[in-house]
């Protein structure tokens, strides 16, 4: 089965589940929770015993998840090994129940305010803040993976523009010039028509094989000769800053990359219903946190 077909099948299956279903999991028996998480590849379907190398048995025990991987042998190579079903998964670092983690994740995808979550789930605000930070890390991972291919190409147009966030002055110098050129070369195909403002840092683009057009913003928003403009990228920066202000400047400070990744992830899914948005995010979770099927070598 191709990756695309697998992902579509995954989203079709996960899309059947909404917040009502997740609350049902929370109220139901723990075996159903384990089975659902396995079906979504959020926890391992099997685990290999580190002592004998045989598959461990999913066993009901007295723990928060209700089940754990157990391998017990007598006489020859006697041992009694237990492993949590959360090993290496999205749930591994949390003390919340697995249904609670799923609900909290769903509410983050839905952009639910912290105050509502703390009241509804009876959890502390630091817990909510931390979990939302974990969610944004998934967005960072997704953005990095999706950015491996260059954009543009001959006959295609890419707008580029810099923007200042925070109070620190931007030091425009040789180092910045070189950085911008290298970033462009890393992410944009040669031969692309690149539109920018007249900042001298972009002057080296033509020498690097790009068709470079500029617009002088002190005179025009759109160059009267070439038609070049950077309205698209400038609108994007403005939208990002507006979103950050809504989040709260103090929250964004120090985590700029994760908030930017969240914005880009949400923008790429703009208009998508929760029935496709939530499973899409869960797929990103399983790619960043593939559950362990055996002990890792330290």
């Amino acid at each position: 089965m191709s990756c695309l077909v697998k992902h579509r099948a995954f989203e079709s299956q996960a899309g059947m589940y909404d917040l009502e279903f997740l609350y049902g999991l929370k109220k139901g028996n723990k075996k159903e929770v384990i089975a659902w998480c396995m079906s979504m590849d959020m926890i391992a379907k099997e685990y290999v015993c580190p002592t004998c190398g045989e598959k461990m048995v999913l066993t009901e025990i007295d723990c928060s998840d209700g089940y754990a991987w157990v391998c017990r042998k007598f006489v020859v190579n006697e041992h009694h090994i237990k492993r949590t079903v959360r090993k290496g998964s999205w749930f591994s670092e949390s003390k919340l129940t697995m249904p609670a983690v799923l609900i909290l994740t769903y509410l983050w995808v839905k952009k639910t305010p912290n105050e509502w979550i703390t009241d509804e789930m009876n959890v502390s605000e630091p817990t909510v803040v931390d979990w939302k930070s974990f969610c944004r890390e998934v967005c960072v991972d997704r953005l990095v993976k999706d950015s491996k291919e260059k954009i543009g190409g001959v006959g295609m147009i890419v707008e580029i523009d810099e923007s200042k966030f925070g109070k620190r002055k931007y030091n425009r110098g040789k180092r910045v010039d070189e950085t911008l050129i290298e970033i462009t070369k890393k992410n944009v195909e040669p031969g692309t028509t690149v539109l920018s403002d007249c900042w001298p840092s972009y002057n080296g683009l033509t020498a690097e094989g790009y068709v470079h057009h500029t617009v002088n913003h002190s005179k025009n928003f759109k160059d009267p000769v070439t038609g070049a403009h950077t309205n698209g990228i400038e609108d994007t920066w403005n939208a990002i800053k507006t979103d950050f202000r809504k989040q709260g400047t103090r929250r964004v400070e120090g985590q700029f990359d994760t908030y930017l990744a969240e914005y880009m992830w949400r923008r790429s899914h703009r208009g998508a219903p929760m029935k496709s948005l939530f499973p899409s995010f869960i797929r990103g979770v399983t790619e960043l946190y593939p559950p362990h099927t055996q002990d890792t070598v330290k």
Side-chain angles (χ1 to χ4, degrees), residues 159-163 180 195-197 202 217 230 233-234 237:
E159 297 178 24
I160 59 176
D161 184 46
E162 74 287 349
S163 187
L180 285 173
L195 310 182
S196 75
D197 58 24
Y202 297 123
H217 285 154
T230 56
I233 185 63
E234 289 174 4
W237 281 129

Side-chain angles (χ1 to χ4, degrees), residues 186-251:
K186 182 179 178 181
N187 295 283
V188 182
E189 292 283 2
T192 301
T193 298
V194 177
L195 310 182
S196 75
D197 58 24
C198 291
W199 188 14
S201 297
Y202 297 123
N203 289 345
L205 289 174
T206 300
E208 297 294 342
Y210 298 99
V211 180
H212 185 206
H213 295 314
T214 62
V215 56
N216 189 337
H217 285 154
S218 64
K219 296 181 179 180
N220 304 287
F221 288 106
K222 181 177 182 179
D223 188 276
V225 178
T226 65
H229 67 81
T230 56
N231 296 344
I233 185 63
E234 289 174 4
D235 287 346
T236 298
W237 281 129
N238 288 334
I240 292 171
K241 290 180 178 180
T242 298
D243 184 73
F244 282 13
R245 282 193 291 270
K246 291 179 180 178
Q247 300 274 7
T249 305
R250 292 182 63 184
R251 289 182 180 176

Side-chain angles (χ1 to χ4, degrees), residues 123-186:
V123 294
S124 67
E125 184 166 5
T127 296
V128 176
V129 170
D130 285 346
W131 200 258
K132 286 189 172 184
S133 178
F134 295 148
C135 290
R136 290 195 301 274
E137 288 176 3
V138 175
C139 296
V140 172
D141 181 70
R142 186 71 267 160
L143 185 63
V144 170
K145 289 177 179 176
D146 289 345
S147 300
K148 288 184 177 180
E149 294 185 5
K150 293 183 178 182
I151 62 175
V154 176
M156 302 187 72
I157 297 174
V158 171
E159 297 178 24
I160 59 176
D161 184 46
E162 74 287 349
S163 187
K164 183 174 77 70
F165 287 76
K167 298 180 180 179
R168 183 175 298 177
K169 298 290 185 180
Y170 204 160
N171 179 22
R172 296 187 171 189
K174 184 174 184 296
R175 184 177 179 182
V176 175
D177 296 351
E178 293 174 346
T179 300
L180 285 173
I181 295 296
E182 289 306 312
I183 289 174
T184 304
K185 289 169 61 178
K186 182 179 178 181

